[in-house]
Amino acid sequence: MLQRICKWLLALWGFKVTGFYPETVPKKVYAVYPHTSNWDFPLGILVKFSMPIDVNYVAKDSLFKWPYGIIFRKLGGIPVDRSKSTQFVDMMAEQYNKYPKLAFAIAPEGTRKKVGKFKSGFYFIALKAQVPIILVKFDYGNKVVDFSEPMIPSGDYNKDMATIIHHFKGTKGKNPEMATQWDDESIS
């Protein structure tokens, strides 16, 4: 029933889901781009339950205070204290050793605010945990949520990031001016 309702709401919103069906891969990191609006969260939740896919996400710990914390946790949220320097990559990579099936959705931008480049955490979590990255476009311009084929990080960060940036280029967020932008020289 929940799946049908979520599919209906996505269709009502005008969105369709395309690309690779990720549940065939038991462990993965979803890199979701762009993250420019609070509307990205309900879009992600609708996608999660309409497919359905099993996925957790990390978010700033201030979102998990009462009364909303209960809801965010039930929807797969895990709080992260961004005010302190933590061993976030190591901690997240260790989680993949504990479970036979696990997926985290991470926004490479790290925030809804405009940033000049991606944070590297999602990449190094996948590399350290030896799991693939699935690139997810939240393309409001074309009303599509698209899942890429799994990408195994090679360890050559610059080469892999060029591939990731090339994949995401042209994807329009809810607030396109807030998305990380790249010029053609930074992608070659």
Side-chain angles (χ1 to χ4, degrees):
M1 178 68 131
L2 179 60
Q3 183 179 9
R4 274 190 261 155
I5 291 169
C6 290
K7 281 184 177 183
W8 178 78
L9 288 171
L10 274 175
L12 186 65
W13 199 354
F15 273 91
K16 64 182 176 179
V17 177
T18 62
F20 179 78
Y21 181 65
E23 284 300 288
T24 60
V25 179
K27 296 181 183 185
K28 61 244 170 209
V29 171
Y30 292 106
V32 183
Y33 172 85
H35 183 33
T36 64
S37 166
N38 286 333
W39 284 104
D40 298 337
F41 180 73
L43 179 58
I45 294 301
L46 288 175
V47 170
K48 171 183 169 135
F49 289 110
S50 70
M51 291 183 76
I53 58 175
D54 190 15
V55 60
N56 293 84
Y57 62 92
V58 292
K60 60 184 174 182
D61 60 344
S62 62
L63 294 175
F64 291 84
K65 292 188 166 95
W66 192 88
Y68 304 110
I70 296 167
I71 296 166
F72 286 127
R73 281 184 179 85
K74 287 280 185 195
L75 293 174
I78 297 169
V80 173
D81 183 354
R82 297 189 313 184
S83 69
K84 299 179 195 167
S85 177
T86 63
Q87 300 298 320
F88 178 71
V89 170
D90 292 334
M91 177 190 71
M92 295 296 288
E94 285 173 20
Q95 297 302 309
Y96 286 93
N97 293 327
K98 295 180 181 178
Y99 304 98
K101 183 177 178 186
L102 186 62
F104 284 105
I106 300 174
E109 294 163 299
T111 181
R112 292 181 317 273
K113 298 178 182 121
K114 187 172 179 100
V115 296
K117 64 179 188 167
F118 283 171
K119 294 184 181 273
S120 60
F122 78 96
Y123 179 85
F124 287 106
I125 291 167
L127 182 66
K128 187 163 189 150
Q130 299 179 344
V131 300
I133 299 169
I134 295 179
L135 306 174
V136 184
K137 295 179 184 179
F138 276 15
D139 191 342
Y140 286 80
N142 294 307
K143 297 287 192 166
V144 169
V145 174
D146 183 72
F147 291 80
S148 76
E149 293 283 330
M151 170 190 168
I152 305 295
S154 70
D156 183 338
Y157 177 76
N158 291 330
K159 179 179 164 243
D160 289 346
M161 284 308 292
T163 300
I164 291 167
I165 289 167
H166 187 294
H167 178 83
F168 284 134
K169 191 160 171 76
T171 305
K172 294 207 183 311
K174 176 81 172 152
N175 298 310
E177 69 283 358
M178 300 302 288
T180 302
Q181 302 295 317
W182 307 276
D183 57 28
D184 289 334
E185 292 84 43
S186 67
I187 300 176
S188 52

